[in-house]
Amino acid sequence: MSAPLPDLPVTFRPARTRAVLYVVGIAQLVALTVIAFLLPALSGGERISFVFTGLIVLAVLLLLARPKVVATEHGVTVVNLTTKRTLAWAEVLRVNLRVGDAWVHLDLADGTSLPAMGIQPGIAKQQAVQDARTLRTLAEAHGSGDHAG
């Protein structure tokens, strides 16, 4: 049974994972900044290094929170950690989320597979399964080719 088609555009992203990453990132930045200013034996450079380390960790966690999949009438845009790729619906042959997969994989018309990290079953498995089904339904409705999976 296919999921109903949502109104487009629709964005899929791991909301719980993003929330955890944001909270942890901000909390550790605050903690390192407070420590930097509360430890009396630290020099100015050491204080700056504490805050700078907090900013680096925050930046990495924000990068991990970046993935999303955006479906529009014309196709799908996959934003992963450091890459962004826009595909026409006809390029997406199959949407796969198998047991044990860390995220959805899109089988493409050129014979390659593209990870779509914006749909990941980590801490919200049911939501990821529902999102994968919805994306599969959208690919079947808007694209062409074999849509099993």
Side-chain angles (χ1 to χ4, degrees), residues 5-92:
L5 287 177
D7 293 330
L8 295 177
V10 62
T11 300
F12 304 101
R13 57 178 49 181
R16 288 183 190 170
T17 301
R18 284 173 49 94
V20 168
L21 291 169
Y22 280 30
V23 168
V24 168
I26 292 168
Q28 68 76 34
L29 176 59
V30 169
L32 286 174
T33 301
V34 168
I35 290 169
F37 288 101
L38 289 181
L39 289 178
L42 295 181
S43 69
E46 290 169 326
R47 291 180 201 281
I48 290 171
S49 70
F50 264 76
V51 175
F52 185 70
T53 299
L55 289 171
I56 289 173
V57 172
L58 177 62
V60 169
L61 294 176
L62 292 177
L63 183 67
L64 291 172
R66 183 175 185 253
K68 65 182 177 180
V69 177
V70 180
T72 68
E73 289 289 335
H74 305 289
V76 62
T77 299
V78 176
V79 179
N80 287 329
L81 296 179
T82 60
T83 61
K84 178 180 177 180
R85 185 165 174 194
T86 301
L87 304 160
W89 283 116
E91 294 179 80
V92 180

Side-chain angles (χ1 to χ4, degrees), residues 103-141:
W103 41 72
V104 162
H105 292 270
L106 306 179
D107 291 342
L108 306 179
D110 66 3
T112 63
S113 179
L114 176 67
M117 297 172 72
I119 302 175
Q120 49 183 266
I123 59 176
K125 183 177 180 180
Q126 289 306 100
Q127 184 63 48
V129 169
Q130 180 182 339
D131 290 349
R133 286 181 181 148
T134 301
L135 185 59
R136 181 179 297 131
T137 301
L138 286 167
E140 290 170 355

